[in-house]
Amino acid sequence: MTLTTRLQAELGDLAAAGLTRRRRVLASPCGRRVNVDGQALLNFASNDYLGLAGDPELAAALADGARQWGAGSGASHLVSGHLEPHAALEDELAAFTGFARALTFSTGYLANLAVTPALAGRGAAVFADRLNHASLIDAMQLAKANGADIRRYPHLDMAALADQLAASDATTKLIVSDTVFSMDGDLAPLPQLLQLAERFDAWLILDDAHGFGVLGAQGRGSLAHCGLPASERILLMGTLGKAAGVGGAFVAGSATAIEYLLHKGRAYVFTTAAPPAIACALRHSLRRIAAGDELRRQLFANIARLRAGAAGLPWQLAPSTTAIQPLIVGANADAVALATALWQRGLWVPAIRPPTVPAGTARLRLSLSAAHTAEDIDALLAALKELA
């Protein structure tokens, strides 16, 4: 069997298991209504929680930034690619989240790959929620390659985490968790996580990709939502391509932790800085987020409307209070069939299957936005009830 035929055989296995994936091509900006593969659809697939991705003001800020600062940064931040818009954005992100400093990254995946391996080497131990995002899992594996001990605790099980921490004699301990879990929409118990970090003198690494801009006063994120301070033992990652509507990510923390990450975070040190125009657009986005209480009220009204209207459906909504509303279907083929039937009715709702979610829990991931109207939610509910 040749190398190519081996790959073809594996692709055939994926197809037989109902796990084939397909990229869709949009012929319109991201928004509540999109043109996809030649079809007009109501969009419940994106993470554009505040409806800012297609916002004309953000597009204008991006264009103005490109005219002033050019198309690219030219190098990594530590060589010659750290321009004034990058520096200003980092200062504003730190102030917005309440931390002393922040570093920006091109993606959330890169940000997560930078943090855990930088802090966890030989003699360290990493304690990670079993349902963490793939980027956190990959970061954990890099730490393992550095010699760190790796432990995964059952999802949200604080008693199990406490037992693992108590049993560890590691010189450095890291607790790593999503704040809002991307496929279930549930929230980590942040107060208990911080208490355990303090009790066992551990770092607390938090991925707030789906909380930043949505939760807390002025959209400041999950820590603000829980009334928690910007502790020196916390490193907070937030992405800027979801609620912020643009792209990139940041890590916020104490001045010392960020300085250490600047020197030791390989995914920061060895990659070209994002275009400065992105930072220009994000500075405008931060102001929109801070003033976006009405957008967040609309988003949470949409969430309540969906959950109230879904009562009686044969598929169960997971217990989420966030913009991520998973409709658990079960079998891979059934989830794909339901997503296809919705597509045929002008509704784009992606089917999520293993390995993204556990086997037997294939689901539709309903992603709600402040841009959705009450009529949009009702149209989705009507289609689901018809198909039920």
Side-chain angles (χ1 to χ4, degrees):
M1 182 179 290
T2 68
L3 294 175
T4 299
T5 55
R6 289 176 188 172
L7 297 182
Q8 290 172 337
E10 288 194 33
L11 288 171
D13 292 340
L14 289 174
L19 295 177
T20 299
R21 301 167 189 262
R22 175 185 173 188
R23 292 187 301 176
R24 300 289 188 178
V25 179
L26 279 75
S28 60
C30 179
R32 58 179 281 272
R33 289 199 172 274
V34 290
N35 189 294
V36 190
D37 293 344
Q39 184 169 342
L41 296 170
L42 188 56
N43 182 10
F44 289 98
S46 82
N47 297 317
D48 183 24
Y49 300 131
L50 298 183
L52 296 179
D55 184 83
E57 292 183 16
L58 265 65
L62 182 67
D64 291 344
R67 278 188 287 267
Q68 180 177 358
W69 296 100
S73 64
S76 68
H77 285 278
L78 292 178
V79 178
S80 66
H82 193 63
L83 283 75
E84 286 182 5
H86 295 128
L89 175 61
E90 289 180 349
D91 289 344
E92 291 170 15
L93 284 165
F96 188 71
T97 57
F99 286 89
R101 287 184 65 185
L103 282 185
T104 53
F105 291 79
S106 298
T107 69
Y109 216 110
L110 279 178
N112 279 339
L113 290 183
V115 177
T116 298
L119 295 175
R122 192 167 304 279
V126 178
F127 304 86
D129 191 290
R130 187 162 291 280
L131 295 189
N132 277 348
H133 187 266
S135 58
L136 292 174
I137 294 171
D138 287 354
M140 180 180 70
Q141 294 302 321
L142 287 173
K144 182 178 181 179
N146 291 342
D149 182 34
I150 301 300
R151 295 285 182 267
R152 299 178 73 179
Y153 57 90
H155 183 49
L156 306 184
D157 190 334
M158 295 298 97
L161 173 58
D163 289 343
Q164 290 180 5
L165 287 162
S168 172
D169 60 359
T171 55
T172 301
K173 300 178 182 179
L174 288 77
I175 302 170
V176 181
S177 179
D178 282 302
T179 58
V180 177
F181 288 84
S182 61
M183 291 300 135
D184 293 272
D186 51 349
L187 283 90
L190 300 186
Q192 293 96 314
L193 285 173
L194 182 55
Q195 288 170 3
L196 288 173
E198 291 171 342
R199 175 181 167 190
F200 291 100
D201 192 24
W203 290 101
L204 180 56
I205 313 301
L206 297 174
D207 180 338
D208 202 27
H210 299 277
F212 181 79
V214 177
L215 299 179
Q218 296 182 296
R220 295 177 190 270
S222 297
L223 287 175
H225 174 74
C226 294
L228 296 177
S231 166
E232 287 198 350
R233 68 176 65 251
I234 294 175
L235 280 167
L236 178 74
M237 194 285 287
T239 53
L240 300 168
K242 297 179 175 65
V246 186
F250 69 92
V251 177
S254 70
T256 300
I258 295 300
E259 184 68 13
Y260 185 84
L261 190 58
L262 183 149
H263 284 84
K264 295 290 188 176
R266 291 173 64 83
Y268 179 81
V269 174
F270 296 107
T271 193
T272 299
I278 297 291
C280 295
L282 284 167
R283 295 181 68 195
H284 188 86
S285 175
L286 269 185
R287 294 190 285 273
R288 294 290 298 278
I289 289 172
D293 285 347
E294 183 55 40
L295 293 175
R296 284 180 285 275
R297 277 193 289 270
Q298 178 64 40
L299 172 59
F300 283 98
N302 288 338
I303 294 168
R305 190 177 190 91
L306 175 73
R307 295 194 68 84
L313 288 174
W315 316 284
Q316 184 177 6
L317 277 176
S320 166
T321 59
T322 69
I324 301 165
Q325 293 292 314
L327 192 68
I328 310 300
V329 177
N332 296 342
D334 292 342
V336 171
L338 184 56
T340 301
L342 290 171
W343 177 281
Q344 293 167 348
R345 288 159 174 78
L347 300 158
W348 189 12
V349 185
I352 306 297
R353 294 156 287 165
T356 309
V357 296
T361 70
R363 65 199 63 187
L364 299 191
R365 184 183 184 272
L366 307 173
S367 187
L368 302 188
S369 169
H372 289 129
T373 65
E375 290 76 19
D376 295 339
I377 305 300
D378 291 345
L380 173 61
L381 289 167
L384 287 169
K385 289 174 182 177
E386 176 193 346
L387 291 167

